[in-house]
Amino acid sequence: MAFTTFDDYVNSVKQKCPWVKTTTRTVVANIWFSLFDIAGNPGAGTLSAGNTANGVVPDDTVAGYPLLNAFGGGAVGILSRVEFANTVACRLAVWDCLFAAGAYAFNANTTLASQPSYSGRVPGSNYSGLELWLETVTAFTGNQTIAVTYTNQAGTTGRTTGSIATGVAPTIGRMLQLPLQAGDSGIQKIESVVSTIATVGTFNVRVMRPLWSARVPAVNAGDVHDMMRTGLPTLYATSALFAAVNCDSTSSGVPELEMEVANN
Amino acid sequence: MAITSQADLRSAARQTIRWQRVISANSDALPMYSSAIGGAGGTTFGSWTSPGNTTSGIVPDSTVAGYPTIQSFNGNAGYIAEAEFVTTSAVPLIARLVDVLWMGGPFTRAGSGSYTLSSQPSISGRLPGGSYLGTEIWAWETFAGGGPTAITYTNQSGTTGRATGSGPSGSFTNAPTVGLYPLQAGDSGVQKIEGLTLNTSFGGDIQLMIVRPLLMLNSVLEWEGPNPRTAERLSGPLQTGLPQIYDTSALAVFFRGASVSTSYSWDLKLDVVSG
């Protein structure tokens, strides 16, 4: 089955997935922050990915990600609608987190092995567009420098982000998207993680497929993005929906997302 | 029966539900519960009152005072096809339309403040597909009070003995204020409230609710230079997502203002289709 007509949408099975936080996090203006470990609905997750040697492919059953109902046999899933608001002006974004590894120490120098494949969560086996992110698990002392090597979207190994001097001592939850090597547009696999210079702190590395983003232009503002604005990105019944905020000021606010996952 | 096509949508039976609320002032920056607010603005269904049941709770329905009356669907399935939400306040509101599936209270802070519930009525008949995913726990404060409340519940999968985190950190000083309680790690829904322990350092009492979110109805912002003003939000079937409701659904609105000292008034019109 698939979504080819409006009738397919009307007739589809729809599930609402709340992602609501009940407390705030101190953030840095204009920087992405994870709220994965903040209380709410779904209940808080554990920030550390829990595996540095191989990494993991998180799914919806892992604490912190919204649980999804099974799709009907042969059904295709989409993110068909997002209702959103926040008590502060900010940007909001949602990804399917395909791979997570960590928490790595401030001085990690780890070559990963036997990494689990996330190919089953990549629509059309097209790895282009997948993003590489850092996520701070515990606060750093000293400015972190990071380098990640990876296999690119075409399967070419030994690609590298280069040595990225973050210029900051990241606080808990702070996220940073790492640039890919020139000519690359996606990631099949993380190969190694090297962190230097800082003296305290831990972090995760995440590979994520972007699904949706929007702007909350003012305090207490919000909107509804229907299927024409979400663009019907493909979802799986095992997708690990991961949301983050990028705020205008120093509080995350209390963001509210109601995501509609339709399958047909 | 069910609505499965655009043609079904066009030929479906329709009814309109409309209500208005006026709030004079809100000293808390927490959500407030519309159905607790007296019949201002021409509402026809009055104010909500406590369920008066602290041993089992009740499953409120559309015939209970405080919830809008819904005409029978005559055995068909019902959906919210359109929503119009407008506020006359200068500041935007975050509003959420929910179906109140279960309610218990008033739980008072007198004595130990501890309650263990039993023989709770089932809410499964008001869950599309029988799925508890996405259901939420909210508390409604009717008097001054505050502080943490520990709530135990059965989660979406039937696992008992789960516990919420602390409730909203703001002070519940101005009834009727509501707050969402965070679920235990790994949980994404609620089947049943098992018990609660109140902080007896404070006065007042609370009502607990299990709700199913239906729609978010934020104010639309229009800009005049750098200054935003609120405008009407019109949501058609694409925007509402056609959430299924029942002719027994107990519809309520939670809303949050941006200012702690501003008067609010809003008007909501729902077009409900059944077929």
Side-chain angles (χ1 to χ4, degrees):
Chain A
M1 299 290 285
F3 289 87
T4 57
T5 67
F6 179 64
D7 282 0
D8 286 340
Y9 172 70
V10 173
N11 192 38
S12 65
V13 176
K14 304 178 189 73
Q15 178 191 347
K16 296 211 44 169
C17 295
W19 182 87
V20 180
K21 298 300 174 184
T22 54
T23 57
T24 62
R25 159 161 281 155
T26 299
V27 300
V28 177
N30 302 315
I31 298 292
W32 286 103
F33 268 78
S34 166
L35 304 180
F36 190 71
D37 57 326
I38 299 292
N41 185 8
T46 300
L47 210 48
S48 170
N51 187 315
T52 57
N54 322 105
V56 296
V57 176
D59 62 26
D60 65 313
T61 65
V62 175
Y65 301 104
L67 273 171
L68 299 176
N69 285 318
F71 294 170
V76 170
I78 57 169
L79 181 63
S80 53
R81 201 166 54 86
V82 182
E83 303 167 344
F84 63 97
N86 198 352
T87 53
V88 300
C90 69
R91 294 163 63 194
L92 290 164
V94 176
W95 296 260
D96 184 0
C97 183
L98 305 179
F99 177 87
Y104 294 104
F106 60 93
N107 58 353
N109 186 344
T110 303
T111 298
L112 285 75
S114 304
Q115 300 92 319
S117 170
Y118 47 79
S119 61
R121 294 243 297 274
V122 179
S125 300
N126 181 359
Y127 292 85
S128 290
L130 304 189
E131 299 175 347
L132 177 58
W133 287 80
L134 294 187
E135 178 187 40
T136 305
V137 175
T138 56
F140 276 67
T141 299
N143 295 351
Q144 183 187 20
T145 293
I146 180 78
V148 175
T149 60
Y150 60 93
T151 303
N152 76 4
Q153 75 285 345
T156 307
T157 60
R159 307 296 284 177
T160 180
T161 62
S163 186
I164 307 298
T166 65
V168 296
T171 56
I172 184 170
R174 182 172 179 137
M175 299 179 68
L176 173 68
Q177 184 179 3
L178 297 179
L180 303 182
Q181 188 169 332
D184 290 352
S185 60
I187 305 140
Q188 286 198 12
K189 188 166 67 177
I190 300 297
E191 298 171 356
S192 71
V193 177
V194 178
S195 177
T196 55
I197 304 203
T199 57
V200 172
T202 59
F203 65 97
N204 290 329
V205 174
R206 290 182 182 268
V207 177
M208 303 203 289
R209 180 166 68 90
L211 299 173
W212 171 89
S213 69
R215 164 85 179 154
V216 176
V219 169
N220 261 24
D223 204 345
V224 178
H225 284 184
D226 61 30
M227 66 168 74
M228 307 308 288
R229 300 179 76 178
T230 68
L232 308 175
T234 299
L235 286 183
Y236 301 88
T238 55
S239 284
L241 299 177
F242 180 94
V245 295
N246 185 329
C247 300
D248 290 16
S249 189
T250 57
S251 171
S252 67
V254 182
E256 301 182 34
L257 291 180
E258 290 281 352
M259 295 172 278
E260 179 186 88
V261 177
N263 76 89
N264 184 56
Chain B
M1 295 290 288
I3 291 177
T4 61
S5 68
Q6 194 170 0
D8 287 348
L9 197 55
R10 283 198 301 269
S11 62
R14 285 179 181 261
Q15 58 181 295
T16 297
I17 296 171
R18 183 165 183 263
W19 77 92
Q20 300 170 306
R21 288 294 191 242
V22 178
I23 312 300
S24 57
N26 173 17
S27 63
D28 302 317
L30 292 165
M32 300 186 76
Y33 179 42
S34 69
S35 293
I37 296 158
T43 181
T44 57
F45 46 90
S47 302
W48 182 86
T49 56
S50 169
N53 187 318
T54 59
T55 56
S56 308
I58 65 167
V59 176
D61 61 32
S62 57
T63 66
V64 174
Y67 301 103
T69 299
I70 302 174
Q71 296 165 24
S72 171
F73 294 160
N74 296 314
N76 293 318
Y79 308 85
I80 297 175
E82 294 178 12
E84 298 176 15
F85 180 73
V86 64
T87 171
T88 55
S89 307
V91 294
L93 298 179
I94 297 174
R96 305 178 81 196
L97 177 70
V98 301
D99 184 0
V100 181
L101 304 176
W102 178 91
M103 200 167 199
F107 300 104
T108 70
R109 290 188 168 89
S112 67
S114 294
Y115 294 84
T116 300
L117 282 73
S118 61
S119 302
Q120 299 92 320
S122 172
I123 61 176
S124 61
R126 292 246 293 277
L127 295 169
S131 173
Y132 292 88
L133 291 181
T135 52
E136 300 176 336
I137 298 174
W138 289 72
W140 182 64
E141 299 263 339
T142 53
F143 297 102
T149 299
I151 301 168
T152 55
Y153 63 94
T154 302
N155 77 3
Q156 74 286 341
S157 303
T159 306
T160 60
R162 308 295 284 176
T164 67
S166 298
S169 57
S171 174
F172 287 72
T173 56
N174 195 31
T177 306
V178 295
L180 172 67
Y181 276 73
L183 302 182
Q184 187 169 330
D187 290 353
S188 286
V190 182
Q191 285 196 11
K192 183 168 67 178
I193 300 293
E194 298 172 359
L196 68 156
T197 301
L198 300 175
N199 186 335
T200 56
S201 301
F202 300 89
D205 54 30
I206 72 169
Q207 332 289 323
L208 285 184
M209 292 172 277
I210 301 174
V211 309
R212 179 168 68 95
L214 298 172
L215 288 178
M216 198 178 282
L217 298 160
N218 318 81
S219 304
V220 168
L221 293 183
E222 293 180 347
W223 298 85
E224 294 178 333
N227 302 312
R229 61 186 178 88
T230 60
E232 185 178 42
R233 173 173 296 285
L234 289 172
S235 299
L238 281 177
Q239 290 79 42
T240 68
L242 297 169
Q244 186 174 353
I245 64 169
Y246 302 85
D247 47 19
T248 54
S249 286
L251 302 180
V253 174
F254 301 155
F255 68 96
R256 181 197 296 268
S259 168
V260 297
S261 59
T262 305
S263 297
Y264 304 108
S265 66
W266 52 259
D267 187 327
L268 173 63
K269 182 170 83 68
L270 301 175
D271 276 5
V272 175
V273 297
S274 55

